[in-house]
Amino acid sequence: KQEVTQIPAALSVPEGENLVLNCSFTDSAIYNLQWFRQDPGKGLTSLLLIQSSQREQTSGRLNASLDKSSGRSTLYIAASQPGDSATYLCAVRLITQGGSEKLVFGKGTKLTVNP
Amino acid sequence: NAGVTQTPKFQVLKTGQSMTLQCAQDMNHNSMYWYRQDPGMGLRLIYYSASEGTTDKGEVPNGYNVSRLNKREFSLRLESAAPSQTSVYFCAINRRSFNSPLHFGNGTRLTVT
């Protein structure tokens, strides 16, 4: 059974710091991996999607990497800002034997960026 | 979260009452999903619909029913609410493509007393 783990559960950093959020998964047979941001009381916003054949994706100050063989992904946030404070979740997409898809989510890392 | 609208935003029910959560999208995506999010449990899939006219069970379907009314709308019904169904419910959509990112609504916060 695929399990997705995000450590740490919470992280607090001063403004301007570069930081890395971690996501690990137990089964490397994934189709892709997606990083989301969730603000309090809101839904999830898609940040980056990395295909299983890719090593990384970049969007602005965000860079996500994927190492399928070791079952790891990282989300790098450069020059963090207080507006980056949110919970960050990763999810892996699996394709079942029947051809349908399934997403397995981690429980998230709550990031606080202090001014 | 433009494109996915959930109603209501908040609801309080008594045990045994019924209600329907509504989800509508204007992004013309084929696939729609219902998730619940609970502290310490993460997001869990209740039901999904790969296309209009089809629905399938997810990880935690017991106590729920769904209806894919048309391409735009996907509703989730609780026939007899239980305290264990207290949660935040999210509707999500994506194109019928495994490479498509998931887009979420803002959620419905349900409390069952």
Side-chain angles (χ1 to χ4, degrees):
Chain A
K1 178 185 174 184
Q2 178 73 267
E3 293 182 359
V4 179
T5 304
Q6 293 185 250
I7 295 173
L11 180 64
S12 182
V13 300
E15 182 177 3
E17 190 163 297
N18 301 327
L19 60 100
V20 173
L21 305 179
N22 297 297
C23 172
S24 62
F25 45 96
T26 54
D27 186 343
S28 63
I30 65 169
Y31 197 82
N32 56 45
L33 184 145
Q34 194 168 356
W35 280 95
F36 296 89
R37 168 188 174 134
Q38 185 175 27
D39 294 290
K42 300 289 187 181
L44 281 68
T45 299
S46 178
L47 296 174
L48 290 163
L49 185 149
I50 313 178
Q51 304 301 335
S52 61
S53 58
Q54 296 177 317
R55 298 286 291 181
E56 63 179 65
Q57 280 282 347
T58 298
S59 176
R61 294 183 293 108
L62 305 179
N63 176 277
S65 69
L66 175 63
D67 185 340
K68 229 176 64 160
S69 60
S70 67
R72 293 181 184 176
S73 176
T74 61
L75 179 67
Y76 174 83
I77 302 177
S80 59
Q81 303 170 358
D84 295 329
S85 297
T87 297
Y88 291 81
L89 296 95
C90 67
V92 296
R93 178 174 271 149
L94 316 173
I95 307 303
T96 68
Q97 286 185 334
S100 61
E101 64 166 324
K102 177 181 178 181
L103 262 73
V104 180
F105 284 84
K107 294 178 182 176
T109 294
K110 183 177 181 180
L111 173 66
T112 302
V113 180
N114 300 302
Chain B
N1 293 38
V4 184
T5 303
Q6 288 185 240
T7 55
K9 288 185 171 57
F10 302 94
Q11 184 72 49
V12 179
L13 292 177
K14 294 184 178 178
T15 297
Q17 287 185 318
S18 63
M19 79 161 294
T20 300
L21 283 65
Q22 307 285 355
C23 175
Q25 54 122 343
D26 61 6
M27 298 178 73
N28 201 36
H29 285 0
N30 287 306
S31 299
M32 301 185 75
Y33 307 78
W34 277 105
Y35 287 89
R36 60 179 289 174
Q37 186 176 37
D38 302 288
M41 300 292 290
L43 275 145
R44 293 179 292 170
L45 181 65
I46 306 171
Y47 270 94
Y48 67 98
S49 170
S51 62
E52 184 180 350
T54 69
T55 61
D56 287 285
K57 295 179 180 180
E59 186 183 352
V60 288
N62 292 344
Y64 305 96
N65 286 301
V66 290
S67 179
R68 182 73 182 266
L69 304 168
N70 47 54
K71 190 172 185 179
R72 288 189 62 248
E73 298 172 293
F74 189 36
S75 61
L76 178 71
R77 183 160 178 85
L78 288 70
E79 290 290 352
S80 180
S84 61
Q85 293 177 306
T86 293
S87 186
V88 182
Y89 292 86
F90 288 103
C91 176
I93 65 171
N94 68 351
R95 292 192 197 92
R96 196 174 182 179
S97 162
F98 297 147
N99 292 325
S100 172
L102 214 58
H103 299 279
F104 281 79
N106 280 331
T108 294
R109 189 173 295 274
L110 175 67
T111 302
V112 183
T113 61

